[in-house]
Amino acid sequence: MRHAKKRLIVASVLAASLVASLAGCASAGTGTDGKNGELTLWTHNGGNTEELAAVQAVVDKYNASQDKTTVKVQAFPQSSYNDSVVAAAASGKLPCIVDIDGPNVPNWAWAKYLTPLDLSVDLDENLPSTLGKWNGDTYSVGYYDVALALFARTSVLEKAGIRVATIDEPWTKDEFDAALKALKADGTWDKPLDLGTADVGEWYPYAYSPLLQSFGGDLINRDDMQSADGALNGKKALEWAEWMQSLVTDGYVAPKSGADAALDLENNVSAIMLGGSWAAGKLSTALGDDLSVLPLPDLGEGVKIGGGSWQWGVTSGCADPEAAMDYLSFSLSPENIADVAKATATIPATDAAAALVPGFEEGGDLALFREFSKQFAELRPETPAYPFISSEFTKATQDILNGGDPQATLDKAVKAIDGNIKSNGGYTQK
Amino acid sequence: MALTQLPDAAASSPEQPAVVTVAGSGRRGTRSRRGGTTGGGRADGLSSRWSGRRRAGLGGWLLRLALAVVFAFPLLFMFVSSLKPDQQIFGDLSSVAAFLPIGNISFDNYAAVFDRVPAARFLINSIGISAITVLLGILVNSLAAFALSRMNMRGKSIILTLIIATLIVPFETLALPLVWWVNQLPSLTLDGFSLGFSKGWIDTYQVQIIPFIANAFSIYLFHQYFESIPKELDEAARMDGAGWFRIYRQVVMPLSGPAVATVAILTFLPAWNSYLWPLMVVQTEELRPVMVGVQYFFQLNVSWGEVMAYASLITLPVVALFIAFQRSFVNSIASSGVKG
């Protein structure tokens, strides 16, 4: 009996020391980041080998350029990055520098994760869609933006007698509808247009709310950002919803598309695809000269595409914000921006950087995307309510594509959005 | 020493009179024997059910074949696709070629996986985290179940009911309060040569292990299994001078192999599959488990072949473990009357 007890005690002590040693070998960081001249930078590039290497290169250059501050990169996979940041903010473990998806900036600024930028570079040079602003302050700046376009085979369009749209003369709504009808009649494609409907998430507001805006509707009344009534459920919005639904009922679009729109276009499963500039490289390799990159159709109020990609901000809990601002200012040199854009095939944020990236110079292959971004980009509403609006819009659009009553669905979304804004006191102060 | 032999003897042949002799009084002996035969009868029943199924004929075989197809084909698709380039995966989707390793086959995707993700590190982390969770889980939960099954105390059944009741609370509900809680816990740190305390378990290995050791379902499984082990064995052992811990260690646990195997697998699977929790509490890449690694492949341009290769890599240990423990796993599920 005594023997057994002794063993039990030994076992408990062993177990306890095991726990202690585990605690010992893990990094036990408490307190805020930025002390002792060490800054941590979080990025959404886990697994994105090219962009991560480009960011790491900028950081290495900065670390070598001075000896006061050392910046350390911590990468997270993109699809779980936001959750990681919100969890870290809840437990007071945010790093000094974070990566942010553009439309989330107002929400993170309002929640006091971020502090306004105070940089030594002139941000007026940047594409407007690469800056994250809220309440008159700039909270974030990006190295690049991305743009949306329609991708198709020139040979397919010509065979069906469809005009190749240009940036000065995009398709009108009637032209677009007629094109889809002709492609459907050809019989080669079960669903000629791939809108990427399987990609539920931020893709929905990013890709489809510009279509809504092209009709004349919007996600919210932008004058005071207090209500979506009239914008998201008015006459124009209803026209958009009915049109989206007709794309499905006429058999042009699948309510749930294939998992990879670019591969489906490559395999000739679809004829026209709505996609991002990031797919251009891959498609141009696969289709060569036959690839046509077209602007989105003008559905009434001009062509619109989404704006705002990943940007950088400094957290409010950072122990050494001056050092963090110094790093960001350093990182925004044209050479650094160009290096990141080259690695990621994205649109460089400044003209000076664009001149350094092959393809983006005047008349280059990729310059078209920069023009799309400059002329058509519409920012998603800059309000802390955006993450909520985004998920409501996604739900509503899915319902509409799957046959829900357009007016009732939009009214429901408006009610939910207005309720959320009210219950947060209008998101005016915190 | 007779006692040390006892569990093995009882395990190999439950009806051996040796049990009765040690147990002492005739009445207890009879009950013990009955306990023993029940165990045997259960095994007989099991084998007769199996032979019954064997006689089920063509219909039964077809049904089994259909079920095997349903469960095996996704795995087959995963492995076959991991050998193909992205464009071919999608090109083959509409034909039976999706399940055949034909066309442009290579291990390129596997090589690419290791370039994109620190896969070896993630695998080692997950193996370590899962193994420690399983080992400590078996120890702690069996001790708890042993106490509830064997010790004389009031309100045992109420405690057991309360423990089982916690099963209805989903983890997602507890996750946020748990994050707050683990962030308040102290941990021992070694700073140079001096020991110190720091607050918060966020971003450590133990935060991925400790909260998942105590498990209501494991306690319940052990408890049910312990109840089927005749109490006379304890009494015999006690007459030989054994204490509680010795009875636990040398009588009850050696007889509970199938329960241990079941708990091991049922603890291992969620530990291996854990995704939400490490996402919330682990920030350093070096500490991440395998499931978080899956997200590394979902970039703007998804590399589907690499997704399949990584999925194959991280499924392998689970399949291997299941095959290794299959027999005792099935036996335990069948004999403890716990379904699914």
Side-chain angles (χ1 to χ4, degrees), chain A residues 1 7 23 27-28 30 46-48 74-77 79-80 84 91 260 263 266-267 278, chain B residues 87 90-91 116 183 188-189 199 203 206 243 249 279-280 283 285 288 295-296 299 301 304:
Chain A
M1 187 99 173
R7 281 197 197 170
S27 72
T30 49
N48 186 347
Q74 191 61 258
F76 295 75
S79 35
S80 54
S84 299
S91 45
D260 196 313
L263 285 174
E266 217 176 304
N267 286 323
W278 56 86
Chain B
Q87 200 217 346
F90 277 73
R116 193 187 290 275
N183 199 32
L188 208 53
T189 52
K199 203 183 93 178
D203 212 20
Q206 79 260 27
R249 198 170 65 92
L279 205 62
M280 294 167 78
Q283 296 155 355
E285 189 166 57
R288 284 180 202 151
Q295 293 295 347
Y296 278 62
Q299 303 297 331
N301 295 312
W304 299 99

mmCIF file of all heavy atoms in Angstrom, chain A residues 1 7 23 27-28 30 46-48 74-77 79-80 84 91 260 263 266-267 278, chain B residues 87 90-91 116 183 188-189 199 203 206 243 249 279-280 283 285 288 295-296 299 301 304:
data_model
loop_
_atom_site.group_PDB
_atom_site.id
_atom_site.type_symbol
_atom_site.label_atom_id
_atom_site.label_comp_id
_atom_site.label_asym_id
_atom_site.label_seq_id
_atom_site.Cartn_x
_atom_site.Cartn_y
_atom_site.Cartn_z
ATOM 1 N N MET A 1 0.840 -1.208 0.000
ATOM 2 C CA MET A 1 0.000 0.000 0.000
ATOM 3 C C MET A 1 0.871 1.253 0.000
ATOM 4 O O MET A 1 0.736 2.125 -0.843
ATOM 5 C CB MET A 1 -0.890 -0.034 1.248
ATOM 6 C CG MET A 1 -1.923 1.045 1.292
ATOM 7 S SD MET A 1 -3.534 0.398 0.756
ATOM 8 C CE MET A 1 -4.588 1.767 1.095
ATOM 9 N N ARG A 7 4.727 5.229 -5.422
ATOM 10 C CA ARG A 7 4.786 5.239 -6.890
ATOM 11 C C ARG A 7 3.850 6.288 -7.483
ATOM 12 O O ARG A 7 4.160 6.922 -8.468
ATOM 13 C CB ARG A 7 4.400 3.873 -7.444
ATOM 14 C CG ARG A 7 5.529 2.911 -7.334
ATOM 15 C CD ARG A 7 5.290 1.739 -8.239
ATOM 16 N NE ARG A 7 6.149 0.655 -7.827
ATOM 17 C CZ ARG A 7 6.034 -0.569 -8.299
ATOM 18 N NH1 ARG A 7 5.070 -0.850 -9.152
ATOM 19 N NH2 ARG A 7 6.856 -1.506 -7.917
ATOM 20 N N ALA A 23 6.466 23.604 -20.928
ATOM 21 C CA ALA A 23 6.313 25.054 -20.837
ATOM 22 C C ALA A 23 7.645 25.721 -21.097
ATOM 23 O O ALA A 23 7.725 26.766 -21.713
ATOM 24 C CB ALA A 23 5.779 25.441 -19.461
ATOM 25 N N SER A 27 7.950 29.026 -26.602
ATOM 26 C CA SER A 27 8.271 30.429 -26.454
ATOM 27 C C SER A 27 7.248 31.060 -25.532
ATOM 28 O O SER A 27 6.072 31.076 -25.841
ATOM 29 C CB SER A 27 8.231 31.122 -27.816
ATOM 30 O OG SER A 27 6.911 31.247 -28.264
ATOM 31 N N ALA A 28 7.680 31.524 -24.399
ATOM 32 C CA ALA A 28 6.740 32.069 -23.429
ATOM 33 C C ALA A 28 6.805 33.576 -23.469
ATOM 34 O O ALA A 28 7.452 34.210 -22.655
ATOM 35 C CB ALA A 28 7.069 31.556 -22.033
ATOM 36 N N THR A 30 5.373 37.147 -23.009
ATOM 37 C CA THR A 30 4.307 37.959 -22.437
ATOM 38 C C THR A 30 4.685 39.411 -22.640
ATOM 39 O O THR A 30 5.799 39.717 -23.018
ATOM 40 C CB THR A 30 4.107 37.677 -20.942
ATOM 41 O OG1 THR A 30 5.379 37.719 -20.339
ATOM 42 C CG2 THR A 30 3.438 36.352 -20.726
ATOM 43 N N GLY A 46 1.471 32.546 -45.317
ATOM 44 C CA GLY A 46 1.871 31.165 -45.052
ATOM 45 C C GLY A 46 1.490 30.295 -46.239
ATOM 46 O O GLY A 46 0.325 30.242 -46.593
ATOM 47 N N GLY A 47 2.449 29.627 -46.844
ATOM 48 C CA GLY A 47 2.159 28.757 -47.984
ATOM 49 C C GLY A 47 2.245 29.470 -49.319
ATOM 50 O O GLY A 47 2.304 28.836 -50.347
ATOM 51 N N ASN A 48 2.228 30.819 -49.298
ATOM 52 C CA ASN A 48 2.369 31.581 -50.539
ATOM 53 C C ASN A 48 3.859 31.872 -50.713
ATOM 54 O O ASN A 48 4.350 32.944 -50.374
ATOM 55 C CB ASN A 48 1.560 32.870 -50.450
ATOM 56 C CG ASN A 48 1.547 33.633 -51.748
ATOM 57 O OD1 ASN A 48 2.326 33.352 -52.651
ATOM 58 N ND2 ASN A 48 0.653 34.594 -51.852
ATOM 59 N N GLN A 74 6.370 36.453 -39.058
ATOM 60 C CA GLN A 74 5.588 35.282 -38.654
ATOM 61 C C GLN A 74 4.452 35.112 -39.669
ATOM 62 O O GLN A 74 3.605 35.985 -39.794
ATOM 63 C CB GLN A 74 5.025 35.531 -37.247
ATOM 64 C CG GLN A 74 4.412 34.321 -36.595
ATOM 65 C CD GLN A 74 5.407 33.191 -36.411
ATOM 66 O OE1 GLN A 74 5.399 32.236 -37.180
ATOM 67 N NE2 GLN A 74 6.279 33.304 -35.435
ATOM 68 N N ALA A 75 4.478 33.985 -40.397
ATOM 69 C CA ALA A 75 3.490 33.812 -41.467
ATOM 70 C C ALA A 75 2.342 32.902 -41.050
ATOM 71 O O ALA A 75 2.540 31.922 -40.351
ATOM 72 C CB ALA A 75 4.174 33.234 -42.704
ATOM 73 N N PHE A 76 1.145 33.274 -41.475
ATOM 74 C CA PHE A 76 -0.059 32.466 -41.237
ATOM 75 C C PHE A 76 -0.698 32.149 -42.581
ATOM 76 O O PHE A 76 -0.628 32.956 -43.491
ATOM 77 C CB PHE A 76 -1.091 33.259 -40.412
ATOM 78 C CG PHE A 76 -0.652 33.589 -39.034
ATOM 79 C CD1 PHE A 76 0.269 34.588 -38.813
ATOM 80 C CD2 PHE A 76 -1.167 32.903 -37.952
ATOM 81 C CE1 PHE A 76 0.686 34.905 -37.534
ATOM 82 C CE2 PHE A 76 -0.765 33.213 -36.664
ATOM 83 C CZ PHE A 76 0.169 34.212 -36.451
ATOM 84 N N PRO A 77 -1.374 30.996 -42.670
ATOM 85 C CA PRO A 77 -2.112 30.749 -43.915
ATOM 86 C C PRO A 77 -3.290 31.712 -44.039
ATOM 87 O O PRO A 77 -3.965 32.009 -43.054
ATOM 88 C CB PRO A 77 -2.584 29.306 -43.784
ATOM 89 C CG PRO A 77 -2.381 28.918 -42.364
ATOM 90 C CD PRO A 77 -1.399 29.861 -41.761
ATOM 91 N N SER A 79 -6.393 31.821 -45.234
ATOM 92 C CA SER A 79 -7.809 31.604 -44.915
ATOM 93 C C SER A 79 -8.081 31.580 -43.418
ATOM 94 O O SER A 79 -9.227 31.664 -42.997
ATOM 95 C CB SER A 79 -8.307 30.334 -45.582
ATOM 96 O OG SER A 79 -7.302 29.367 -45.601
ATOM 97 N N SER A 80 -7.030 31.442 -42.601
ATOM 98 C CA SER A 80 -7.289 31.465 -41.166
ATOM 99 C C SER A 80 -6.641 32.675 -40.499
ATOM 100 O O SER A 80 -6.664 32.797 -39.278
ATOM 101 C CB SER A 80 -6.782 30.175 -40.523
ATOM 102 O OG SER A 80 -5.433 29.977 -40.840
ATOM 103 N N SER A 84 -6.905 34.252 -36.528
ATOM 104 C CA SER A 84 -5.734 34.275 -35.656
ATOM 105 C C SER A 84 -5.525 35.669 -35.071
ATOM 106 O O SER A 84 -5.190 35.812 -33.896
ATOM 107 C CB SER A 84 -4.480 33.861 -36.436
ATOM 108 O OG SER A 84 -4.621 32.560 -36.936
ATOM 109 N N SER A 91 -6.507 38.167 -26.646
ATOM 110 C CA SER A 91 -5.628 37.777 -25.541
ATOM 111 C C SER A 91 -4.416 38.697 -25.420
ATOM 112 O O SER A 91 -3.454 38.368 -24.754
ATOM 113 C CB SER A 91 -5.196 36.319 -25.710
ATOM 114 O OG SER A 91 -4.821 36.042 -27.036
ATOM 115 N N ASP A 260 -12.300 25.356 -59.266
ATOM 116 C CA ASP A 260 -11.230 26.200 -59.789
ATOM 117 C C ASP A 260 -11.617 26.739 -61.164
ATOM 118 O O ASP A 260 -11.521 26.035 -62.166
ATOM 119 C CB ASP A 260 -9.930 25.390 -59.860
ATOM 120 C CG ASP A 260 -8.708 26.281 -60.025
ATOM 121 O OD1 ASP A 260 -8.763 27.179 -60.887
ATOM 122 O OD2 ASP A 260 -7.725 26.081 -59.301
ATOM 123 N N LEU A 263 -8.906 26.657 -64.032
ATOM 124 C CA LEU A 263 -8.667 25.328 -64.606
ATOM 125 C C LEU A 263 -9.833 24.903 -65.479
ATOM 126 O O LEU A 263 -9.654 24.220 -66.486
ATOM 127 C CB LEU A 263 -8.422 24.304 -63.502
ATOM 128 C CG LEU A 263 -7.046 24.377 -62.838
ATOM 129 C CD1 LEU A 263 -6.950 23.423 -61.662
ATOM 130 C CD2 LEU A 263 -5.957 24.058 -63.851
ATOM 131 N N GLU A 266 -9.390 26.615 -68.724
ATOM 132 C CA GLU A 266 -8.290 25.957 -69.409
ATOM 133 C C GLU A 266 -8.767 24.654 -70.054
ATOM 134 O O GLU A 266 -8.384 24.330 -71.177
ATOM 135 C CB GLU A 266 -7.211 25.657 -68.364
ATOM 136 C CG GLU A 266 -5.805 25.820 -68.843
ATOM 137 C CD GLU A 266 -4.823 25.592 -67.700
ATOM 138 O OE1 GLU A 266 -4.938 26.292 -66.658
ATOM 139 O OE2 GLU A 266 -3.963 24.710 -67.829
ATOM 140 N N ASN A 267 -9.601 23.901 -69.335
ATOM 141 C CA ASN A 267 -10.107 22.623 -69.854
ATOM 142 C C ASN A 267 -11.344 22.803 -70.734
ATOM 143 O O ASN A 267 -12.013 21.822 -71.050
ATOM 144 C CB ASN A 267 -10.427 21.681 -68.690
ATOM 145 C CG ASN A 267 -9.161 21.117 -68.056
ATOM 146 O OD1 ASN A 267 -8.199 20.832 -68.740
ATOM 147 N ND2 ASN A 267 -9.177 20.967 -66.737
ATOM 148 N N TRP A 278 -4.598 37.785 -60.671
ATOM 149 C CA TRP A 278 -3.667 36.737 -60.236
ATOM 150 C C TRP A 278 -3.745 35.475 -61.119
ATOM 151 O O TRP A 278 -2.828 34.671 -61.117
ATOM 152 C CB TRP A 278 -3.926 36.372 -58.775
ATOM 153 C CG TRP A 278 -5.345 35.941 -58.501
ATOM 154 C CD1 TRP A 278 -5.840 34.678 -58.646
ATOM 155 C CD2 TRP A 278 -6.418 36.747 -58.038
ATOM 156 N NE1 TRP A 278 -7.160 34.660 -58.310
ATOM 157 C CE2 TRP A 278 -7.552 35.911 -57.927
ATOM 158 C CE3 TRP A 278 -6.543 38.095 -57.698
ATOM 159 C CZ2 TRP A 278 -8.799 36.379 -57.510
ATOM 160 C CZ3 TRP A 278 -7.787 38.554 -57.272
ATOM 161 C CH2 TRP A 278 -8.897 37.705 -57.182
ATOM 162 N N GLN B 87 -4.145 20.500 -63.807
ATOM 163 C CA GLN B 87 -5.051 20.555 -64.946
ATOM 164 C C GLN B 87 -5.638 19.184 -65.222
ATOM 165 O O GLN B 87 -6.801 19.057 -65.575
ATOM 166 C CB GLN B 87 -4.306 21.080 -66.173
ATOM 167 C CG GLN B 87 -5.250 21.604 -67.229
ATOM 168 C CD GLN B 87 -4.766 21.280 -68.620
ATOM 169 O OE1 GLN B 87 -3.619 20.901 -68.814
ATOM 170 N NE2 GLN B 87 -5.642 21.405 -69.578
ATOM 171 N N PHE B 90 -8.560 18.109 -62.876
ATOM 172 C CA PHE B 90 -9.865 18.652 -63.267
ATOM 173 C C PHE B 90 -10.353 18.058 -64.579
ATOM 174 O O PHE B 90 -11.531 17.841 -64.782
ATOM 175 C CB PHE B 90 -9.799 20.184 -63.323
ATOM 176 C CG PHE B 90 -9.984 20.800 -61.979
ATOM 177 C CD1 PHE B 90 -8.978 20.741 -61.027
ATOM 178 C CD2 PHE B 90 -11.176 21.404 -61.639
ATOM 179 C CE1 PHE B 90 -9.160 21.281 -59.768
ATOM 180 C CE2 PHE B 90 -11.359 21.946 -60.374
ATOM 181 C CZ PHE B 90 -10.349 21.882 -59.437
ATOM 182 N N GLY B 91 -9.408 17.766 -65.486
ATOM 183 C CA GLY B 91 -9.781 17.166 -66.761
ATOM 184 C C GLY B 91 -10.365 15.768 -66.580
ATOM 185 O O GLY B 91 -11.275 15.368 -67.308
ATOM 186 N N ARG B 116 6.544 24.186 -49.656
ATOM 187 C CA ARG B 116 5.533 25.171 -49.282
ATOM 188 C C ARG B 116 5.264 25.193 -47.783
ATOM 189 O O ARG B 116 5.028 26.240 -47.193
ATOM 190 C CB ARG B 116 4.238 24.872 -50.029
ATOM 191 C CG ARG B 116 3.229 26.000 -49.963
ATOM 192 C CD ARG B 116 1.916 25.604 -50.567
ATOM 193 N NE ARG B 116 1.946 25.451 -52.013
ATOM 194 C CZ ARG B 116 1.790 26.458 -52.870
ATOM 195 N NH1 ARG B 116 1.628 27.676 -52.429
ATOM 196 N NH2 ARG B 116 1.814 26.240 -54.161
ATOM 197 N N ASN B 183 -5.166 31.828 -21.110
ATOM 198 C CA ASN B 183 -4.328 33.018 -21.144
ATOM 199 C C ASN B 183 -4.037 33.545 -19.745
ATOM 200 O O ASN B 183 -3.163 34.373 -19.552
ATOM 201 C CB ASN B 183 -5.009 34.093 -21.997
ATOM 202 C CG ASN B 183 -4.037 35.151 -22.451
ATOM 203 O OD1 ASN B 183 -2.859 34.847 -22.667
ATOM 204 N ND2 ASN B 183 -4.502 36.369 -22.579
ATOM 205 N N LEU B 188 5.706 27.857 -16.064
ATOM 206 C CA LEU B 188 7.051 27.906 -15.513
ATOM 207 C C LEU B 188 8.019 28.172 -16.663
ATOM 208 O O LEU B 188 7.978 27.495 -17.685
ATOM 209 C CB LEU B 188 7.342 26.525 -14.901
ATOM 210 C CG LEU B 188 8.299 26.414 -13.752
ATOM 211 C CD1 LEU B 188 7.917 27.358 -12.621
ATOM 212 C CD2 LEU B 188 8.311 24.976 -13.260
ATOM 213 N N THR B 189 8.861 29.154 -16.526
ATOM 214 C CA THR B 189 9.810 29.391 -17.612
ATOM 215 C C THR B 189 11.235 29.343 -17.087
ATOM 216 O O THR B 189 11.500 29.692 -15.935
ATOM 217 C CB THR B 189 9.595 30.771 -18.264
ATOM 218 O OG1 THR B 189 9.582 31.759 -17.221
ATOM 219 C CG2 THR B 189 8.311 30.824 -19.031
ATOM 220 N N LYS B 199 2.749 34.671 -17.285
ATOM 221 C CA LYS B 199 1.305 34.460 -17.402
ATOM 222 C C LYS B 199 0.930 34.099 -18.832
ATOM 223 O O LYS B 199 1.420 34.704 -19.763
ATOM 224 C CB LYS B 199 0.561 35.726 -16.960
ATOM 225 C CG LYS B 199 -0.856 35.432 -16.514
ATOM 226 C CD LYS B 199 -1.592 36.715 -16.158
ATOM 227 C CE LYS B 199 -2.347 37.208 -17.364
ATOM 228 N NZ LYS B 199 -3.120 38.397 -17.173
ATOM 229 N N ASP B 203 0.322 30.086 -27.353
ATOM 230 C CA ASP B 203 1.515 29.850 -28.139
ATOM 231 C C ASP B 203 2.502 28.892 -27.475
ATOM 232 O O ASP B 203 3.689 29.184 -27.350
ATOM 233 C CB ASP B 203 2.196 31.202 -28.432
ATOM 234 C CG ASP B 203 2.907 31.196 -29.775
ATOM 235 O OD1 ASP B 203 2.556 30.334 -30.594
ATOM 236 O OD2 ASP B 203 3.804 32.021 -29.975
ATOM 237 N N GLN B 206 1.839 22.946 -24.464
ATOM 238 C CA GLN B 206 0.915 22.392 -23.464
ATOM 239 C C GLN B 206 -0.517 22.889 -23.644
ATOM 240 O O GLN B 206 -1.461 22.190 -23.289
ATOM 241 C CB GLN B 206 1.410 22.649 -22.032
ATOM 242 C CG GLN B 206 1.174 24.032 -21.480
ATOM 243 C CD GLN B 206 2.435 24.870 -21.584
ATOM 244 O OE1 GLN B 206 3.269 24.632 -22.458
ATOM 245 N NE2 GLN B 206 2.595 25.853 -20.716
ATOM 246 N N GLY B 243 -3.417 -2.539 -2.411
ATOM 247 C CA GLY B 243 -4.177 -1.297 -2.216
ATOM 248 C C GLY B 243 -4.890 -0.913 -3.493
ATOM 249 O O GLY B 243 -4.812 -1.626 -4.496
ATOM 250 N N ARG B 249 -3.704 -1.001 -11.101
ATOM 251 C CA ARG B 249 -2.593 -1.205 -12.015
ATOM 252 C C ARG B 249 -2.416 -2.671 -12.406
ATOM 253 O O ARG B 249 -2.090 -2.975 -13.548
ATOM 254 C CB ARG B 249 -1.300 -0.691 -11.370
ATOM 255 C CG ARG B 249 -0.167 -0.458 -12.348
ATOM 256 C CD ARG B 249 0.976 0.264 -11.661
ATOM 257 N NE ARG B 249 1.549 -0.577 -10.618
ATOM 258 C CZ ARG B 249 2.579 -1.395 -10.815
ATOM 259 N NH1 ARG B 249 3.143 -1.483 -11.992
ATOM 260 N NH2 ARG B 249 3.061 -2.122 -9.824
ATOM 261 N N LEU B 279 -5.534 27.024 -34.178
ATOM 262 C CA LEU B 279 -5.662 28.260 -34.929
ATOM 263 C C LEU B 279 -5.786 29.453 -33.985
ATOM 264 O O LEU B 279 -5.245 30.524 -34.227
ATOM 265 C CB LEU B 279 -6.930 28.164 -35.769
ATOM 266 C CG LEU B 279 -7.015 28.995 -37.017
ATOM 267 C CD1 LEU B 279 -5.921 28.562 -37.967
ATOM 268 C CD2 LEU B 279 -8.376 28.788 -37.650
ATOM 269 N N MET B 280 -6.523 29.228 -32.889
ATOM 270 C CA MET B 280 -6.785 30.332 -31.974
ATOM 271 C C MET B 280 -5.631 30.584 -31.017
ATOM 272 O O MET B 280 -5.396 31.720 -30.618
ATOM 273 C CB MET B 280 -8.065 30.051 -31.172
ATOM 274 C CG MET B 280 -9.311 30.029 -32.031
ATOM 275 S SD MET B 280 -10.718 29.341 -31.158
ATOM 276 C CE MET B 280 -11.185 30.714 -30.142
ATOM 277 N N GLN B 283 0.591 30.773 -32.398
ATOM 278 C CA GLN B 283 0.985 31.806 -33.348
ATOM 279 C C GLN B 283 2.302 31.497 -34.027
ATOM 280 O O GLN B 283 2.517 31.865 -35.169
ATOM 281 C CB GLN B 283 1.060 33.152 -32.617
ATOM 282 C CG GLN B 283 -0.299 33.566 -32.100
ATOM 283 C CD GLN B 283 -0.229 34.493 -30.907
ATOM 284 O OE1 GLN B 283 0.847 34.765 -30.399
ATOM 285 N NE2 GLN B 283 -1.369 34.948 -30.447
ATOM 286 N N GLU B 285 4.943 29.507 -36.013
ATOM 287 C CA GLU B 285 4.832 28.458 -37.028
ATOM 288 C C GLU B 285 5.394 27.126 -36.537
ATOM 289 O O GLU B 285 4.823 26.070 -36.799
ATOM 290 C CB GLU B 285 5.575 28.902 -38.289
ATOM 291 C CG GLU B 285 5.350 27.988 -39.471
ATOM 292 C CD GLU B 285 5.803 28.627 -40.776
ATOM 293 O OE1 GLU B 285 6.981 29.009 -40.851
ATOM 294 O OE2 GLU B 285 4.988 28.726 -41.704
ATOM 295 N N ARG B 288 2.901 24.659 -34.809
ATOM 296 C CA ARG B 288 1.609 24.311 -35.397
ATOM 297 C C ARG B 288 1.479 22.823 -35.705
ATOM 298 O O ARG B 288 2.459 22.183 -36.079
ATOM 299 C CB ARG B 288 1.401 25.102 -36.700
ATOM 300 C CG ARG B 288 1.040 26.538 -36.431
ATOM 301 C CD ARG B 288 0.842 27.315 -37.713
ATOM 302 N NE ARG B 288 1.009 28.726 -37.422
ATOM 303 C CZ ARG B 288 1.449 29.629 -38.289
ATOM 304 N NH1 ARG B 288 1.745 29.277 -39.508
ATOM 305 N NH2 ARG B 288 1.573 30.873 -37.928
ATOM 306 N N GLN B 295 -4.324 24.673 -44.753
ATOM 307 C CA GLN B 295 -4.671 26.011 -45.233
ATOM 308 C C GLN B 295 -3.566 26.639 -46.077
ATOM 309 O O GLN B 295 -3.815 27.572 -46.830
ATOM 310 C CB GLN B 295 -4.972 26.935 -44.051
ATOM 311 C CG GLN B 295 -6.211 26.554 -43.294
ATOM 312 C CD GLN B 295 -7.446 26.712 -44.139
ATOM 313 O OE1 GLN B 295 -7.417 27.310 -45.200
ATOM 314 N NE2 GLN B 295 -8.550 26.145 -43.697
ATOM 315 N N TYR B 296 -2.339 26.167 -45.923
ATOM 316 C CA TYR B 296 -1.222 26.762 -46.652
ATOM 317 C C TYR B 296 -1.400 26.629 -48.163
ATOM 318 O O TYR B 296 -0.772 27.347 -48.930
ATOM 319 C CB TYR B 296 0.099 26.088 -46.256
ATOM 320 C CG TYR B 296 0.693 26.606 -44.978
ATOM 321 C CD1 TYR B 296 0.011 26.488 -43.786
ATOM 322 C CD2 TYR B 296 1.940 27.214 -44.965
ATOM 323 C CE1 TYR B 296 0.562 26.963 -42.611
ATOM 324 C CE2 TYR B 296 2.496 27.683 -43.791
ATOM 325 C CZ TYR B 296 1.805 27.553 -42.607
ATOM 326 O OH TYR B 296 2.343 28.017 -41.453
ATOM 327 N N GLN B 299 -4.258 29.289 -51.651
ATOM 328 C CA GLN B 299 -3.886 30.637 -52.051
ATOM 329 C C GLN B 299 -4.856 31.074 -53.137
ATOM 330 O O GLN B 299 -5.765 30.345 -53.494
ATOM 331 C CB GLN B 299 -2.451 30.633 -52.562
ATOM 332 C CG GLN B 299 -1.454 30.104 -51.545
ATOM 333 C CD GLN B 299 -1.391 30.961 -50.302
ATOM 334 O OE1 GLN B 299 -1.637 32.159 -50.360
ATOM 335 N NE2 GLN B 299 -1.099 30.359 -49.161
ATOM 336 N N ASN B 301 -4.362 31.181 -56.267
ATOM 337 C CA ASN B 301 -4.331 30.069 -57.208
ATOM 338 C C ASN B 301 -4.052 28.805 -56.403
ATOM 339 O O ASN B 301 -2.941 28.595 -55.921
ATOM 340 C CB ASN B 301 -3.232 30.265 -58.253
ATOM 341 C CG ASN B 301 -3.506 31.473 -59.131
ATOM 342 O OD1 ASN B 301 -4.608 31.643 -59.640
ATOM 343 N ND2 ASN B 301 -2.509 32.333 -59.280
ATOM 344 N N TRP B 304 -4.108 22.149 -56.341
ATOM 345 C CA TRP B 304 -4.946 21.022 -55.886
ATOM 346 C C TRP B 304 -4.146 19.747 -55.710
ATOM 347 O O TRP B 304 -4.386 18.983 -54.775
ATOM 348 C CB TRP B 304 -6.089 20.821 -56.872
ATOM 349 C CG TRP B 304 -6.957 22.035 -56.968
ATOM 350 C CD1 TRP B 304 -6.914 22.998 -57.928
ATOM 351 C CD2 TRP B 304 -7.970 22.444 -56.046
ATOM 352 N NE1 TRP B 304 -7.840 23.982 -57.666
ATOM 353 C CE2 TRP B 304 -8.500 23.662 -56.521
ATOM 354 C CE3 TRP B 304 -8.473 21.903 -54.868
ATOM 355 C CZ2 TRP B 304 -9.504 24.353 -55.856
ATOM 356 C CZ3 TRP B 304 -9.475 22.580 -54.204
ATOM 357 C CH2 TRP B 304 -9.982 23.787 -54.700
#
